[in-house]
Amino acid sequence: MSQWKILEAALELADEEGLGAVTMRRVAGRLGVGTMPLYHHVPNKNSLLEGIVELDFEQVEQPPDDMQDWAGRVLFISLSFRRAALAHPVVVPLVASGSFSGPMVLASTEAYVAALVQRGLDPEMAAHVYRAAASYV
């Protein structure tokens, strides 16, 4: 069993029944295993929730390297994030909480903020704009 398979099962369960249904026991049951083997791959429920956010953010595409226009980069990331959010709306409250910031979340955030800095905003203002835009998206 892999961490990937565990997270996929957790995301499927969340999509079907909501975040409240995502427990180690329920995910283990979905996979047909005992609860203890899950702890070898995912140490606790918080890690499980962070993992499903990361799994969803793997769907957020980054703009191509040759896309130089800052507005095009921002729009590209925003639309990609929106598609991921629509695919798994149950994850949106976790993202909105700001409590989960794994590598995939950070990569999208950094790309967005970098495009705004490219436009001429200072990093602090770019972060504020990002938060407002991400909430809107």
Side-chain angles (χ1 to χ4, degrees):
M1 175 176 327
S2 69
Q3 182 181 20
W4 179 262
K5 189 172 186 123
I6 294 167
L7 297 176
E8 283 182 329
L11 183 56
E12 288 173 6
L13 182 61
D15 283 340
E16 292 169 12
E17 299 182 36
L19 289 172
V22 179
T23 65
M24 297 298 263
R25 183 175 300 223
R26 293 286 310 276
V27 173
R30 182 169 278 253
L31 293 169
V33 299
T35 305
M36 291 312 293
L38 266 60
Y39 287 102
H40 293 288
H41 303 282
V42 182
N44 54 45
K45 182 178 178 176
N46 197 52
S47 295
L48 191 62
L49 295 175
E50 183 171 0
I52 66 173
V53 170
E54 282 292 293
L55 193 61
D56 191 36
F57 263 78
E58 285 185 3
Q59 304 307 308
V60 178
E61 297 177 53
Q62 300 305 309
D65 291 335
D66 62 350
M67 183 182 281
Q68 297 302 316
D69 175 48
W70 74 270
R73 294 178 73 77
V74 165
L75 182 61
F76 187 97
I77 297 166
S78 295
L79 292 174
S80 185
F81 173 68
R82 186 173 189 277
R83 281 189 297 276
L86 289 173
H88 302 287
V90 71
V91 176
V92 172
L94 295 174
V95 174
S97 76
S99 301
F100 302 99
S101 57
M104 298 307 294
V105 174
L106 291 176
S108 293
T109 304
E110 288 174 3
Y112 201 102
V113 170
L116 294 172
V117 169
Q118 177 188 354
R119 168 62 176 94
L121 278 78
D122 66 79
E124 184 177 342
M125 180 56 72
H128 287 298
V129 170
Y130 165 75
R131 282 193 286 282
S135 295
Y136 177 75
V137 170

